[in-house]
Amino acid sequence: MSDRPMLLDTYCKAGGTSRGYQLAGFHVTGVDIEPQPNYIGDAFYQADAVEFIREHGGNTVIVTEGYRHKDDFEKFPEEYAIKVVVHDAY
């Protein structure tokens, strides 16, 4: 387990945003429904982002690529303790 703060990069693709958070000191786990063989973060899971969070719990910072996914995470109950950070690369 890393002593760096954990960050979950949802809809991560190859991890361009992940790299910036790594440089800022985070341990970054990427989640994308599509395979990402060249992902550059610390760990990668091929999964639906919402289902991944439901399965693995909270206390996680979520980075969503683009505003189109923000509503997915605002539906989680308070016990997940999810903080949503929206990064719009466009």
Side-chain angles (χ1 to χ4, degrees):
M1 190 67 157
S2 174
D3 59 349
R4 295 179 288 161
M6 304 293 286
L7 186 136
L8 184 64
D9 185 1
T10 58
Y11 313 99
C12 65
K13 298 297 181 197
T17 300
S18 298
R19 176 64 75 205
Y21 282 100
Q22 283 177 310
L23 293 172
F26 288 87
H27 178 278
V28 184
T29 299
V31 177
D32 202 296
I33 201 154
E34 298 173 355
Q36 300 299 328
N38 299 316
Y39 179 69
I40 59 175
D42 297 298
F44 175 78
Y45 292 90
Q46 183 177 346
D48 177 271
V50 173
E51 292 305 315
F52 183 88
I53 295 165
R54 284 195 174 115
E55 194 173 311
H56 296 281
N59 293 324
T60 301
V61 177
I62 306 299
V63 176
T64 66
E65 185 278 327
Y67 287 95
R68 65 184 174 270
H69 300 295
K70 186 176 180 186
D71 290 344
D72 293 343
F73 301 105
E74 291 177 342
K75 297 173 188 172
F76 281 99
E78 286 184 23
E79 67 263 19
Y80 281 95
I82 292 175
K83 176 177 171 67
V84 177
V85 176
V86 176
H87 171 80
D88 194 353
Y90 302 104

